Amino acid sequence: MKRITAPLLIIFTLLLSLLVGCDGLDENYSTNPNHRLSFSMDTLSFDTVFTTVGSATRQFMVYNRNDEPLNIEKILLAAPASSGFRINVDGRKGDQFDNIRIAAKDSMYVLVEVTVNPNGKDQPLLIQDSVLFSVNGVRQTVLLEACGQDVNLIKGGVTLTSNTTLTAQRPYLVYDSLIIDEGVTVNIEKGTTLYMHDKAKIIVGGTIIANGTGEKPIVFRGDRLDFILNDVLPYDRTPGQWGGIFFKSDSYNNIFNHVIVRNGSTGVTCETSDPEKSKLKINNSQFTNMDGNVFTAINSNVEAANSEFSNATIDVVLLAGGKYNFIHCTIANYMSLKERHSTLKHEESSYTLRILDNVTVNKAGPYTLSQAYFDNCIIDGNHAAANNLETGELQIAENEDITVKLRSNDFNYRFNHCVIKLKKIESDNFKDVIFITETDENKMEYRMTGGDKNKYMYDFRPDKETTPGVGKADLSTSQKYPTDRYGVNRLTNNTPDIGAYEYVPKEDEEEEK
């Protein structure tokens, strides 16, 4: 034991001397009141934060740009109890920190979170606090602010068993799934927003009547309000944020008018039903940016007008059996955040529009396609094989094995006055169709098609008067839909445009503002 004790005593003495030596570093702190801290920002702002639900973590940097180390005598939150903000300084949590050393030319992180208490108001309420720093008798601050929004929280898997109205007074936050029982009708007021948490779904056994307006649309979107890339890419422009909307087999007579559905794993799925009964009527709506299909319908009866279906990692619109009418719709796929792909092994990429007849789904069927009519529609995209187009952005096939492509006469489909990215086809099924490829000089040109320079935003309005389809729509069809999705008159000079949007010169738009 004596032999062991002596070496331990020596080691302990050495460690103690090292610690004393480290303490000696503190003696070199600057006491110059002009030596101050610098910060990566003056104000740390959170986007809207739902009450009772904690925010994502944000951060700012603290810098000592001086040639000497500084002792930060205090770092504290001004009003943590009332504001709900929380901080973490260099890995330590708390409301107050004393004597924090920051070396010369060094920096450290301050992490910030906030949980806002319910405020009893329908409109967002601004919450503020400050992080205070004291160095050499000088006080410096970084302002913290967030907008707290009271929500109607739907959590734990809620099933609506009686007729219900979802109002626009406060947004809804759906944490798990919202199920609408068979025979139940849910009316959604104009201006209502439903924020969907990760993997949350709307499962409809009954009926949804969603009547928005151009000024007050109804919105289904993810619940992340922060950015993946600061000031460039918010979560709200990123696909795969929530589960999707599913209309079950016994769900009929659904209406989507001025509805926006965006950024899910899938968009809208209409499950197998009776194709002689109306499944879903869509008007003036947008379904966009899905990590899967944007719109899927199996043996269903769907009508869609004045609507945009856009941007999918798989197919934008997939129709398998059933009865369909699409009028003045823009169906486009310029997905750029993720690579487009097919779920079928023998295909390298997806299609903007895929139509299947005589198809078996989940060992049921086969389902016959009785009607697929497209009038004044755009079918376009950035197809990976566009320089060697076989079927371009459109595929019409007999079954899921894709053994027959682009059949002409075997079932009832029609494209009338459409723009389609496709090699030209001579067939009575294609009437006054403008066929385009990427090699055409007269290609489709839109306002914005994503990418970093556009901050991943899309605007599928025609950008030029020479864009294919401008002034080329079937007038008799357009007369039944005299305004486009944004309310622009189609019938000026009786030269309506193909697609969901009329061409409007940017200078005219600026004059209106």
Side-chain angles (χ1 to χ4, degrees):
M1 289 293 293
K2 291 181 180 179
R3 292 179 181 178
I4 297 174
T5 303
L8 287 176
L9 185 61
I10 294 169
I11 293 170
F12 178 78
T13 304
L14 289 172
L15 288 174
L16 185 61
S17 64
L18 285 172
L19 289 172
V20 172
C22 289
D23 287 340
L25 293 174
D26 293 349
E27 297 173 1
N28 298 321
Y29 289 147
S30 169
T31 58
N32 186 341
N34 293 321
H35 285 179
R36 302 187 181 188
L37 300 171
S38 300
F39 306 100
S40 58
M41 59 187 69
D42 297 323
T43 302
L44 178 64
S45 297
F46 288 78
D47 293 300
T48 301
V49 177
F50 302 127
T51 57
T52 74
V53 179
S55 70
T57 301
R58 298 208 62 192
Q59 65 186 37
F60 63 90
M61 298 290 295
V62 182
Y63 301 100
N64 177 11
R65 303 189 190 279
N66 304 290
D67 294 326
E68 298 178 72
L70 293 174
N71 178 40
I72 308 175
E73 294 136 13
K74 283 191 183 298
I75 302 176
L76 58 89
L77 277 169
S82 58
S83 70
F85 284 98
R86 302 179 298 281
I87 59 174
N88 181 310
V89 176
D90 249 9
R92 291 183 290 169
K93 295 180 180 180
D95 298 330
Q96 179 173 321
F97 306 84
D98 297 324
N99 298 317
I100 304 298
R101 183 181 189 277
I102 182 166
K105 305 297 184 183
D106 202 357
S107 62
M108 66 181 182
Y109 287 99
V110 176
L111 308 181
V112 185
E113 297 176 326
V114 61
T115 299
V116 181
N117 291 323
N119 56 62
K121 299 182 182 299
D122 295 330
Q123 299 303 314
L125 181 68
L126 182 64
I127 308 296
Q128 291 184 316
D129 202 343
S130 295
V131 184
L132 309 179
F133 298 81
S134 296
V135 179
N136 294 330
V138 177
R139 175 174 287 189
Q140 295 176 264
T141 63
V142 173
L143 178 66
L144 308 178
E145 60 181 22
C147 285
Q149 172 68 67
D150 279 357
V151 294
N152 297 302
L153 183 61
I154 298 174
K155 192 172 184 179
V158 173
T159 299
L160 301 179
T161 57
S162 60
N163 293 347
T164 304
T165 296
L166 303 183
T167 68
Q169 286 182 309
R170 296 179 185 177
Y172 292 81
L173 176 56
V174 181
Y175 240 74
D176 301 291
S177 288
L178 175 62
I179 301 169
I180 300 171
D181 231 352
E182 186 177 343
V184 172
T185 297
V186 172
N187 286 279
I188 306 179
E189 288 185 350
K190 63 183 180 182
T192 300
T193 298
L194 289 95
Y195 291 99
M196 309 295 294
H197 194 58
D198 182 38
K199 297 181 177 60
K201 299 176 183 178
I202 304 288
I203 300 172
V204 186
T207 300
I208 287 181
I209 307 296
N211 277 314
T213 65
E215 295 75 26
K216 295 182 177 181
I218 294 164
V219 179
F220 296 83
R221 51 154 295 175
D223 68 341
R224 292 294 298 268
L225 303 174
D226 51 324
F227 281 75
I228 294 177
L229 299 174
N230 284 342
D231 301 322
V232 176
L233 179 60
Y235 277 95
D236 193 38
R237 294 186 201 133
T238 308
Q241 297 300 303
W242 55 287
I245 301 173
F246 296 82
F247 292 99
K248 306 298 286 184
S249 294
D250 293 321
S251 174
Y252 293 101
N253 300 316
N254 298 283
I255 294 175
F256 274 10
N257 187 27
H258 288 288
V259 170
I260 298 171
V261 181
R262 62 180 186 244
N263 309 331
S265 295
T266 61
V268 172
T269 300
C270 297
E271 298 184 4
T272 306
S273 57
D274 181 351
E276 296 306 313
K277 298 169 66 175
S278 176
K279 186 79 169 179
L280 174 62
K281 289 185 178 180
I282 300 166
N283 288 286
N284 304 304
S285 294
Q286 181 192 45
F287 306 84
T288 187
N289 201 29
M290 305 298 173
D291 193 11
N293 290 351
V294 168
F295 186 87
T296 302
I298 303 168
N299 206 48
S300 296
N301 184 326
V302 176
E303 298 177 35
N306 269 345
S307 295
E308 175 192 319
F309 302 80
S310 62
N311 294 350
T313 58
I314 308 180
D315 300 323
V316 175
V317 174
L318 170 63
L319 309 176
K323 186 176 183 179
Y324 308 98
N325 285 284
F326 285 74
I327 304 164
H328 270 299
C329 289
T330 294
I331 308 173
N333 198 357
Y334 281 78
M335 172 62 74
S336 60
L337 275 172
K338 293 191 175 184
E339 185 177 351
R340 292 177 57 181
H341 63 275
S342 175
T343 56
L344 302 177
K345 293 181 180 179
H346 58 276
E347 290 183 347
E348 293 183 358
S349 189
S350 60
Y351 290 86
T352 294
L353 173 60
R354 190 194 298 262
I355 303 173
L356 301 178
D357 179 38
N358 192 33
V359 64
T360 300
V361 179
N362 296 327
K363 299 181 180 180
Y367 300 112
T368 301
L369 186 79
S370 61
Q371 177 180 306
Y373 290 169
F374 295 82
D375 295 280
N376 292 347
C377 290
I378 293 172
I379 297 98
D380 181 37
N382 58 354
H383 199 290
N387 292 326
N388 184 25
L389 285 170
E390 292 296 331
T391 55
E393 290 291 357
L394 168 65
Q395 183 187 70
I396 302 173
E398 185 175 3
N399 55 48
E400 60 268 38
D401 294 326
I402 318 302
T403 55
V404 180
K405 295 180 180 180
L406 288 171
R407 297 182 301 149
S408 298
N409 303 309
D410 291 353
F411 60 92
N412 189 17
Y413 71 92
R414 179 192 73 205
F415 294 89
N416 169 45
H417 287 77
C418 292
V419 175
I420 308 176
K421 179 170 275 191
L422 184 70
K423 279 187 175 180
K424 187 173 182 179
I425 293 174
E426 299 293 343
S427 167
D428 292 340
N429 298 83
F430 297 85
K431 178 184 177 183
D432 293 317
V433 167
I434 300 171
F435 295 96
I436 59 170
T437 70
E438 276 191 357
T439 57
D440 289 342
E441 292 182 5
N442 195 22
K443 64 181 180 180
M444 296 302 293
E445 295 184 80
Y446 304 105
R447 291 281 186 94
M448 285 189 288
T449 53
D452 182 73
K453 67 177 182 179
N454 293 320
K455 296 187 176 181
Y456 299 93
M457 292 185 290
Y458 293 81
D459 186 341
F460 285 103
R461 287 178 290 178
D463 191 46
K464 296 182 180 179
E465 196 169 7
T466 56
T467 301
V470 173
K472 302 297 183 181
D474 180 9
L475 178 59
S476 62
T477 300
S478 299
Q479 286 172 339
K480 301 173 186 176
Y481 301 88
T483 58
D484 76 357
R485 180 176 167 241
Y486 287 142
V488 177
N489 190 343
R490 279 202 172 96
L491 304 181
T492 303
N493 301 322
N494 287 329
T495 55
D497 301 341
I498 294 173
Y501 306 105
E502 286 291 294
Y503 166 70
V504 178
K506 291 180 181 178
E507 54 269 24
D508 291 356
E509 209 170 55
E510 290 172 0
E511 287 177 8
E512 289 177 6
K513 292 178 182 178

